[in-house]
Amino acid sequence: MALKTYREKRNFTRSPEPSGDDAVVAASQGKGREPRFFCVQKHLASALHYDFRIEHDGVLLSWAVPKGPSINSADKRLAMHVEDHPIEYGEFEGVIPEGYGAGVVMLWDRGTWTPEVDDVDAALAKGDLKMTLDGFKLKGSWVLVRTKGWGARKPGEKKADDGKSWLLIKHKDDWAGPIDITTFAPNSVKSDGTFRDILLQKAPDVWQSHRPGSGTGGDAALRKIAEKVAALEEATAAAAPAAAPAAEAKAPKKKPATRKAATKTAGAKKAAASAAPKKAAAKRGGA
Ligand code: MN
């Protein structure tokens, strides 16, 4: 029953997503403070977001993070609690042609997480879960904290807070730093691919003469997704021209003025270094 909502939302004859194996759920209970699987999937659906998933009691507890995780401890990233996903989902990367979540899913980071508390359920109930991540891009100490609610409905707000809003925050440590990790390391840890690469694997001829959607390959749904990918590529290029190479060139040159700054730069460098060898990373993670 753990995956009831997940399964209700999807038609597995039309979606390549895994339906989830109840035996896996049953076999993955009660891990205490053992390290368990975590991943972040970059998901271009109706809007771009990052799905943050952590294994607990046989499923992946999931939060949709619109802006993506930040390794800057000054940032508080909104994380909307969504339905539990199957553990097998953690390796999924591909194209959802239609239906719920239609678009492209990229495995953006993966690794293990370790609870910094003895009782994860109690921490979730309290709305304050501290954890250590050991991924390829995200590392060190983090917290997921449930917001207290917005109280009175804000003008233009569709509904009052329903308890699903959390914040994902990086704690200050050697792995925190001022680098924008989503810009610095935008690609897949599984395939090293971009959204375009992942889509082209599914529909090699959906792209033609730099005009997404104009190709004859794939069906109408895939051509629509190609348009979405192209729109995101354009928006990204317009917002930060050559942002990634600039960050790469600047980071090592920056002379830390204080010990605190030195730590931050070191952490950012570590994060950058860990994000760089993606091929080795993909191998280590298995398939
Ligand atoms: Mn999603």
Side-chain angles (χ1 to χ4, degrees):
M1 284 300 106
L3 298 169
K4 188 170 177 283
T5 310
Y6 171 84
R7 288 172 180 149
E8 279 170 2
K9 287 181 181 233
R10 292 166 174 82
N11 176 351
F12 296 107
T13 62
R14 307 200 140 199
S15 171
E17 299 167 291
S19 59
D21 184 343
D22 290 325
V24 173
V25 177
S28 312
Q29 303 289 312
K31 291 201 172 174
R33 286 183 79 144
E34 274 176 60
R36 317 95 177 273
F37 180 85
F38 101 94
C39 72
V40 180
Q41 278 150 328
K42 189 171 165 183
H43 186 185
L44 181 60
S46 48
L48 175 69
H49 60 274
Y50 294 71
D51 291 303
F52 182 78
R53 310 190 196 280
I54 57 174
E55 178 194 343
H56 179 58
D57 276 351
V59 296
L60 297 178
L61 307 180
S62 299
W63 286 261
V65 184
K67 286 187 172 179
S70 172
I71 63 170
N72 187 340
S73 58
D75 290 336
K76 297 175 169 66
R77 290 289 159 90
L78 177 66
M80 298 303 290
H81 190 206
V82 297
E83 77 274 15
D84 298 345
H85 278 53
I87 289 180
E88 302 93 300
Y89 202 96
E91 293 297 332
F92 178 72
E93 175 170 285
V95 179
I96 304 171
E98 58 183 294
Y100 187 72
V104 191
V105 175
M106 174 201 292
L107 188 54
W108 182 78
D109 198 14
R110 74 173 152 199
T112 57
W113 78 281
T114 308
E116 293 178 9
V117 291
D118 289 322
D119 190 337
V120 171
D121 291 307
L124 288 167
K126 195 180 154 202
D128 184 336
L129 177 60
K130 293 181 176 68
M131 66 186 92
T132 303
L133 300 182
D134 187 11
F136 297 110
K137 299 175 186 177
L138 308 183
K139 289 178 180 287
S141 184
W142 295 69
V143 65
L144 265 169
V145 58
R146 188 163 52 226
T147 63
K148 293 277 194 303
W150 304 317
R153 199 176 297 196
K154 290 180 192 166
E157 212 71 71
K158 277 184 191 147
K159 53 179 181 177
D161 187 356
D162 50 9
K164 289 184 192 267
S165 311
W166 296 61
L167 298 170
L168 178 64
I169 306 166
K170 177 80 194 80
H171 284 142
K172 275 184 196 169
D173 60 16
D174 283 356
W175 298 104
I179 283 180
D180 178 350
I181 192 70
T182 58
T183 305
F184 186 80
N187 294 353
S188 167
V189 290
K190 184 173 182 173
S191 63
D192 201 28
T194 62
F195 278 135
R196 184 194 283 238
D197 297 330
I198 295 165
L199 178 61
L200 286 176
Q201 282 204 333
K202 165 86 182 168
D205 45 0
V206 75
W207 232 282
Q208 221 173 53
S209 334
H210 304 288
R211 282 174 58 221
S214 63
T216 50
D219 56 15
L222 290 176
R223 290 198 291 274
K224 217 170 141 188
I225 291 168
E227 282 171 23
K228 212 181 274 186
V229 170
L232 176 70
E233 286 175 352
E234 273 174 37
T236 306
E248 199 168 13
K250 257 184 213 164
K253 275 184 214 154
K254 217 171 193 176
K255 203 178 171 186
T258 64
R259 235 174 108 191
K260 206 170 168 189
T263 307
K264 272 189 181 171
T265 308
K269 264 192 220 164
K270 274 185 213 167
S274 78
K278 286 179 212 110
K279 283 206 174 124
K283 264 183 205 160
R284 204 179 92 191

